[in-house]
Amino acid sequence: MTRSVVVISAGLSQPSSTRLLADQLAAATRSAVGGRGESVDIEFVELRELAVEMAESMVSGGRPTPALGAAQRQVAAADGIITVTPVFTASYSGLFKTFVDLLDKDSLTGKPVLIAATAGTPRHSLVLEHAMRPLFAYLRAIVVPTAVFAATEDFGGEADLDARVHRAAGELAGLVVAERTGVAGFAQGDEEAGPLGPVTDFSELLRGHDGG
């Protein structure tokens, strides 16, 4: 079965460190999904190419242009999302937030999301935890445990960055490939059958103690 992962890249320059990190995460995710015996289609949404259209949509009551609408549908249909933003003023970029604001409020519900960010200095690394993780938790996405931050000095063969990229990609692949059928241990279509057998209704348990 082929899975779908959409990479949202909010880099402004071309080339950019944001796109470089996005490419590394995409490659690692492809490898991790392949290691689980499945294939994956990876598509990129470059927000810099949609900047003018997003501005037009914001001032026209949220009505998307064809290109913006296509990007929104890609995100809604994906099995998993990778998001990478540069850090501006100690938070995600305005371009990134605008795109998220224009998504349907249910687009990311229950969807696995890997969060990542780039900046010139390691001092901005906490943006992942105080800004991005709460944002996607609010949107009811499933944010993978490992977030990936890359400062300028991290590029160029930094082993620690490579390890974090592959760990996060492995976590995303595990969620993307997994059959999301509800609580682990309960078979789909048999909600009362758990790992230890059928679940006894609580009222029946009470009847067993009547008069005792």
Side-chain angles (χ1 to χ4, degrees), residues 20-196:
L20 177 58
L21 181 57
D23 286 341
Q24 292 179 1
L25 289 166
T29 299
R30 185 185 301 279
S31 177
V33 172
R36 294 172 180 269
E38 299 200 20
S39 58
V40 60
D41 286 333
I42 296 182
E43 300 174 299
F44 281 81
V45 173
E46 279 285 355
L47 298 188
R48 64 186 297 274
E49 298 174 359
L50 297 172
V52 173
E53 296 182 48
M54 285 193 288
E56 291 174 352
S57 181
M58 290 292 283
V59 299
S60 64
R63 187 168 58 253
T65 62
L68 178 57
Q72 292 169 331
R73 289 189 294 274
Q74 280 180 281
V75 170
D79 295 307
I81 303 292
I82 297 171
T83 64
V84 192
T85 179
V87 177
F88 291 160
T89 320
S91 188
Y92 36 67
S93 72
L95 189 66
F96 178 81
K97 183 57 163 57
T98 299
F99 182 73
V100 173
D101 286 344
L102 289 170
L103 291 174
D104 182 271
K105 62 182 180 64
D106 296 320
S107 290
L108 298 177
T109 299
K111 199 179 298 292
V113 174
L114 189 165
I115 57 174
T118 59
T121 170
R123 291 179 297 173
H124 291 298
S125 61
L126 287 178
V127 69
L128 291 165
E129 303 304 326
H130 72 64
M132 291 188 72
R133 195 178 294 277
L135 172 66
F136 287 102
Y138 173 79
L139 294 169
R140 301 188 300 280
I142 302 171
V143 185
V144 303
T146 301
V148 181
F149 177 85
T152 302
E153 64 194 52
D154 290 326
F155 292 100
E158 174 59 49
D160 183 59
L161 175 60
D162 187 64
R164 284 182 280 125
V165 164
H166 282 86
R167 183 168 62 247
E171 293 167 356
L172 180 65
L175 291 171
V176 166
V177 171
E179 292 294 339
R180 295 185 292 278
T181 57
V183 179
F186 287 78
Q188 188 174 24
D190 186 17
E191 289 78 5
E192 294 187 356
L196 300 179

